[in-house]
Amino acid sequence: MNEVTRIFGSNVFSDSVMRERLPKETYKQLQRTIKLGKHLDNAVANVVANAMKDWAIEKGATHFTHWFQPMTGITAEKHDSFIAPTDDGRVIMEFSGKELIQGEPDASSFPSGGLRATFEARGYTAWDPTSYAFIKGKTLCIPTAFCSYGGEALDKKTPLLRSMEAINRQAMRVLRLFGDEDVTSVKTTVGPEQEYFLVEKEMFDKRPDLIYTGRTLFGAKSPKGQELDDHYFGTIKTRVAEFMEDLNQELWELGVLAKTEHNEVAPAQHELAPIFTTTNIATDHNQLTMELMQRIAKKHGLVCLLHEKPFAGVNGSGKHNNWSISTNTGKNLLDPGDTPHENAQFLLFLCAVIQAVDDYQDLLRISVASAGNDHRLGANEAPPAIVSMFLGDELTAILDSIEKGEEYGSREKELWKVGVHILPRFPKDTTDRNRTSPFAFTGNKFEFRMLGSNDSISGANIVLNTAVAESLRQYADMLENAGDFNAALHGLIQETIHNHKRIIFNGNGYDDAWVEEAQRRGLLNLRTTPDCLPYFLAEKNVKLFAQHRVFTETEIRARYEIILDNYSKILNIEAVTMLDMARRDLLPAFSAFTGKLSETVNAKKAAAPGADCSYEEAQIQKISSLVGTMYRQTQALEDVLLELVPMHCDELERAKYYRGKVFDAMTQLRITADEIETSLDRKYYPYPTYGDLLFGVR
Ligand code: ADP
Ligand code: MG
């Protein structure tokens, strides 16, 4: 065994560890809980807890925690030690089944959107046995869901698990119709590609904007940016390579399948992609990955920025959510097969996704909505805010011919009929990638590219799973009652293509012409978080989530409030940080520079009365005038913030106000400050510059 295979998963209470450490009968009962969701009785839980504890203690653990994902977006944990006192004043290490299954963090400060009345502010955490427990530092972490006592989800895991059940239910119905009796469960799979920036910690520490908001609020472009594309896939610098090595090591120990790493397009930007796995595990793993990236970067004197747009003028960071549907027999349902039977089934699942993306464009957009991601989507870079789907020319042509009832390709002599004839072999095109598409078919999976680097992938997958479950439900309802299955199937596929083909777009998504074309097609273009959030409450969306038991209306409303509230708070922190930087650092520095120039002019004139002072005088004029403007813009920003205080408005109006007036005032202020920066004596700029930040890591 080599080093990597030895350490892989060594900190995970995995299936093989369970098999080895649990009595046969306990293992079997636990498997029933994991695979079939059967209730785990107390006696069994006690045995599992005890085995887990012994294993964890052998690995050096002293504490345990219910690890959960509240609506703050980060993971939460509260540590309890295993110790329990004995009668004779010693301690023993204890961990019961009850402690494993349920926890009660006093978690009243997590956002709940009014779901928990204050008299019952506590929520409880419940073990998710489908995601393995693991050790982090000296703590045994137990992945859990976080709910209120009324059963409402207060976290990002509960609805994700519900959505996986929803797609499982409906996909199973469809597979049975195709005569499949072997499959017993269907799960979605995800491989999230994670982008991030690394900057010198020493420089980060000198920038209040990075410290408080994760992004630069001021800063002129450096003379060089990403225009040469010379960072993309470039040689990885030694320090960064050492960071990646450390990161891999820890991720592997936690059973995370970290696979590829490379430099991204922007300077100082990198990417990590794991091998895909079941969606809820991929979600847990991605949260862990983000957490470890930040911690390990510090060890190397670096800071990992996960903000969606840390720097103006160079690419921001996103996350590509590669998504597919798999059976427990190992078949990928989005893989076009070799037989007519497989082809027809593939086409139906493909249709289910096409229909889902078209019907629930709004929800997909909402699932990636955040203050940070608004700087990417619909701004001037990767993916536009319009949701559309790339299928590639070949597959699009096939769908086109099916819709028209025409034969496809020269090899197909007979009339093409789904379920009867062979789908023409089309190359699984992995090179013809349309990087501008927000939702692309890449051979045997879809890649949803609108996620922000900081997002939990849970939101996007809740929507994907549920929306596709809904298409499948409609298909199953229809096909279960059809007389001639093949004919009904053919009709269904034709009709779906006809009704939903507007969502398919293989062209350049960055093109202005696409914005107009999308509008003609009736597609939504929801540019900002306050623009899209109202759609969350639309009747069709409430119905979708209720019908598939993913969110109740109350839960949707709570999330709607939390997202908007969070959005306004982030913009407020940014605005206040800007004011602070402008008043306490930038304006004084700029003014000091003109003061210094004035002294020089006076000194020069005294020493050599006819000396040329044109540079100094022109600079004094120009900078003084800009500083005056900047001063007034600072006042204006403060005024718009103060105006908001006495206003009584709901969370949507408040978010709109921030996005409108506050954001505009921030933008104006930045433009002026950045202009002054470029005329300034380097020594006078009080912060590390873009050049320092983007090219500083050696
Ligand atoms: P690239 O996008 O560079 O061509 P791949 O296609 O191999 O690379 O994979 C990109 C990501 O998609 C990886 O995280 C990979 O594990 C994931 N992926 C591959 N197949 C699937 C699948 N069936 N379901 C979900 N994710 C997948
Ligand atoms: Mg990719």
Side-chain angles (χ1 to χ4, degrees):
M1 236 202 254
N2 73 14
E3 180 61 12
V4 176
T5 49
R6 194 179 57 75
I7 63 163
F8 188 82
S10 58
N11 281 338
V12 183
F13 195 69
S14 63
D15 189 59
S16 59
V17 178
M18 287 190 237
R19 205 191 297 257
E20 188 188 303
R21 296 200 165 229
L22 295 174
K24 234 190 180 119
E25 196 44 40
T26 311
Y27 175 78
K28 264 205 236 149
Q29 291 189 359
L30 185 59
Q31 285 305 307
R32 274 211 294 278
T33 301
I34 293 172
K35 299 224 165 87
L36 308 170
K38 293 268 182 291
H39 177 75
L40 195 67
D41 71 49
N42 264 345
V44 179
N46 278 328
V47 179
V48 178
N50 204 47
M52 234 187 229
K53 178 205 68 185
D54 289 344
W55 170 81
I57 289 172
E58 279 169 34
K59 297 255 163 211
T62 52
H63 287 66
F64 70 92
T65 183
H66 277 198
W67 184 77
F68 60 106
Q69 299 166 29
M71 294 297 298
T72 49
I74 48 174
T75 51
E77 44 196 76
K78 173 188 160 214
H79 298 187
D80 281 302
S81 72
F82 288 122
I83 62 167
T86 60
D87 290 341
D88 55 358
R90 292 174 307 121
V91 292
I92 50 166
M93 302 296 255
E94 245 181 29
F95 183 49
S96 69
K98 203 168 138 264
E99 287 171 304
L100 166 64
I101 290 179
Q102 189 162 323
E104 289 186 57
D106 181 16
S108 47
S109 290
F110 287 112
S112 73
L115 276 181
R116 279 168 298 161
T118 29
F119 63 87
E120 191 37 292
R122 287 148 75 102
Y124 72 92
T125 50
W127 181 31
D128 166 19
T130 62
S131 183
Y132 301 127
F134 56 90
I135 290 174
K136 215 173 55 175
K138 288 185 175 305
T139 304
L140 168 68
C141 299
I142 300 149
T144 53
F146 179 40
C147 297
S148 77
Y149 273 94
E152 284 111 350
L154 296 172
D155 68 348
K156 303 195 173 196
K157 186 188 265 280
T158 310
L160 180 65
L161 292 171
R162 292 176 186 161
S163 75
M164 291 180 68
E165 270 174 45
I167 195 165
N168 175 48
R169 264 194 304 273
Q170 306 305 333
M172 286 301 298
R173 289 175 68 196
V174 169
L175 290 180
R176 290 287 183 262
L177 284 164
F178 277 92
D180 195 326
E181 298 295 334
D182 300 335
V183 175
T184 55
S185 75
V186 170
K187 285 191 172 122
T188 55
T189 51
V190 167
E193 300 165 61
Q194 175 75 47
E195 291 179 339
Y196 60 98
F197 280 87
L198 288 176
V199 298
E200 262 326 321
K201 179 157 188 317
E202 209 180 299
M203 292 178 193
F204 173 95
D205 287 340
K206 293 185 181 138
R207 301 247 357 176
D209 45 4
L210 287 178
I211 293 172
Y212 297 129
T213 74
R215 74 177 181 105
T216 51
L217 299 169
F218 293 102
K221 276 179 205 155
S222 48
K224 178 176 188 279
Q226 65 186 42
E227 48 283 276
L228 297 178
D229 281 336
D230 53 350
H231 192 254
Y232 192 52
F233 280 43
T235 320
I236 299 173
K237 289 178 185 134
T238 316
R239 286 211 22 232
V240 174
E242 283 166 4
F243 156 82
M244 287 175 173
E245 203 176 302
D246 250 15
L247 177 63
N248 278 338
Q249 169 91 11
E250 289 207 33
L251 287 173
W252 288 335
E253 283 171 10
L254 288 171
V256 178
L257 294 153
K259 174 83 175 165
T260 32
E261 269 149 329
H262 59 81
N263 287 351
E264 258 300 330
V265 173
Q269 193 184 30
H270 311 278
E271 181 186 292
L272 181 143
I275 296 171
F276 71 97
T277 178
T278 314
T279 304
N280 71 315
I281 294 175
T283 308
D284 287 357
H285 282 180
N286 183 247
Q287 292 296 124
L288 273 175
T289 303
M290 292 194 285
E291 186 185 320
L292 288 188
M293 278 177 168
Q294 289 173 301
R295 180 161 58 71
I296 293 170
K298 290 218 176 91
K299 268 188 13 201
H300 292 263
L302 301 167
V303 174
C304 170
L305 304 179
L306 289 171
H307 194 283
E308 283 80 7
K309 191 75 180 171
F311 303 102
V314 296
N315 281 359
S317 299
K319 191 136 59 187
H320 291 177
N321 190 81
N322 293 273
W323 179 93
S324 192
I325 323 172
S326 277
T327 65
N328 65 316
T329 52
K331 183 161 167 35
N332 179 351
L333 295 172
L334 291 178
D335 199 353
D338 298 319
T339 66
H341 178 87
E342 285 171 339
N343 288 164
Q345 191 177 293
F346 161 73
L347 281 173
L348 191 66
F349 278 93
L350 181 71
C351 280
V353 182
I354 296 172
Q355 178 177 335
V357 174
D358 186 27
D359 281 345
Y360 299 101
Q361 300 159 44
D362 48 358
L363 287 178
L364 286 169
R365 172 66 185 89
I366 290 163
S367 76
V368 298
S370 69
N373 216 15
D374 279 2
H375 295 288
R376 301 172 61 237
L377 308 174
N380 29 21
E381 71 170 80
I386 305 163
V387 177
S388 69
M389 204 166 179
F390 170 85
L391 291 183
D393 293 340
E394 188 91 24
L395 191 52
T396 306
I398 291 171
L399 296 188
D400 205 40
S401 64
I402 295 173
E403 188 204 350
K404 298 199 179 95
E406 288 164 358
E407 55 190 274
Y408 175 80
S410 51
R411 283 177 295 135
E412 280 287 294
K413 291 297 171 221
E414 303 150 274
L415 184 68
W416 156 259
K417 256 194 192 167
V418 176
V420 181
H421 296 290
I422 295 183
L423 181 72
R425 293 276 329 146
F426 56 90
K428 271 185 224 161
D429 199 343
T430 47
T431 51
D432 177 20
R433 290 294 179 78
N434 182 333
R435 310 305 309 187
T436 69
S437 176
F439 202 98
F441 184 66
T442 48
N444 59 2
K445 62 184 190 292
F446 278 97
E447 189 167 335
F448 183 30
R449 303 197 179 116
M450 288 171 89
L451 287 78
S453 47
N454 217 347
D455 281 338
S456 158
I457 61 169
S458 152
N461 289 296
I462 291 169
V463 171
L464 265 172
N465 291 343
T466 314
V468 174
E470 172 56 17
S471 313
L472 294 172
R473 180 195 68 77
Q474 292 177 15
Y475 301 168
D477 281 358
M478 191 269 193
L479 293 172
E480 279 166 3
N481 295 309
D484 178 345
F485 177 75
N486 278 342
L489 178 65
H490 188 189
L492 180 61
I493 291 176
Q494 250 182 339
E495 190 185 301
T496 307
I497 297 167
H498 180 75
N499 292 341
H500 297 285
K501 65 181 174 191
R502 65 171 185 166
I503 198 75
I504 300 166
F505 175 64
N506 296 327
N508 181 1
Y510 299 169
D511 209 336
D512 288 340
W514 167 233
V515 177
E516 287 162 36
E517 164 71 15
Q519 197 177 8
R520 269 197 301 279
R521 293 187 188 191
L523 301 179
L524 295 168
N525 183 2
L526 305 169
R527 300 188 52 145
T528 69
T529 299
D531 287 343
C532 67
L533 255 287
Y535 288 80
F536 208 176
L537 307 177
E539 202 184 323
K540 72 167 178 82
N541 294 334
V542 173
K543 194 169 154 223
L544 170 80
F545 286 127
Q547 178 161 21
H548 292 277
R549 300 196 288 265
V550 173
F551 287 126
T552 62
E553 186 164 358
T554 320
E555 287 170 333
I556 293 177
R557 196 159 271 286
R559 265 151 226 262
Y560 164 88
E561 282 173 24
I562 291 169
I563 295 168
L564 286 172
D565 188 47
N566 187 260
Y567 177 88
S568 298
K569 281 180 178 152
I570 287 174
L571 265 80
N572 190 62
I573 294 169
E574 291 185 347
V576 173
T577 304
M578 275 191 111
L579 283 178
D580 192 65
M581 292 171 76
R583 287 187 172 148
R584 297 175 63 190
D585 294 328
L586 292 172
L587 286 168
F590 298 160
S591 168
F593 177 56
T594 49
K596 175 77 189 158
L597 285 174
S598 309
E599 280 172 26
T600 308
V601 173
N602 290 340
K604 272 169 91 169
K605 286 191 170 155
D612 184 345
C613 293
S614 52
Y615 160 69
E616 292 84 354
E617 282 169 5
Q619 283 295 80
I620 294 169
Q621 290 291 353
K622 180 182 168 193
I623 295 178
S624 299
S625 150
L626 285 168
V627 166
T629 306
M630 185 175 154
Y631 168 68
R632 284 183 291 280
Q633 287 168 333
T634 309
Q635 296 306 105
L637 176 58
E638 181 168 37
D639 288 345
V640 292
L641 288 177
L642 289 175
E643 238 177 83
L644 189 62
V645 179
M647 268 168 46
H648 294 285
C649 50
D650 67 17
E651 48 283 304
L652 181 61
E653 286 168 65
R654 190 156 14 100
K656 283 187 171 157
Y657 185 89
Y658 272 105
R659 172 63 217 190
K661 288 204 166 159
V662 178
F663 190 78
D664 282 349
M666 287 166 62
T667 308
Q668 296 308 320
L669 174 57
R670 176 177 186 155
I671 291 171
T672 312
D674 290 358
E675 192 183 340
I676 301 173
E677 184 192 333
T678 57
S679 308
L680 205 66
D681 176 344
R682 213 178 279 281
K683 292 196 295 290
Y684 280 80
Y685 194 70
Y687 306 126
T689 63
Y690 263 40
D692 300 331
L693 291 164
L694 289 169
F695 297 93
V697 179
R698 309 248 173 240

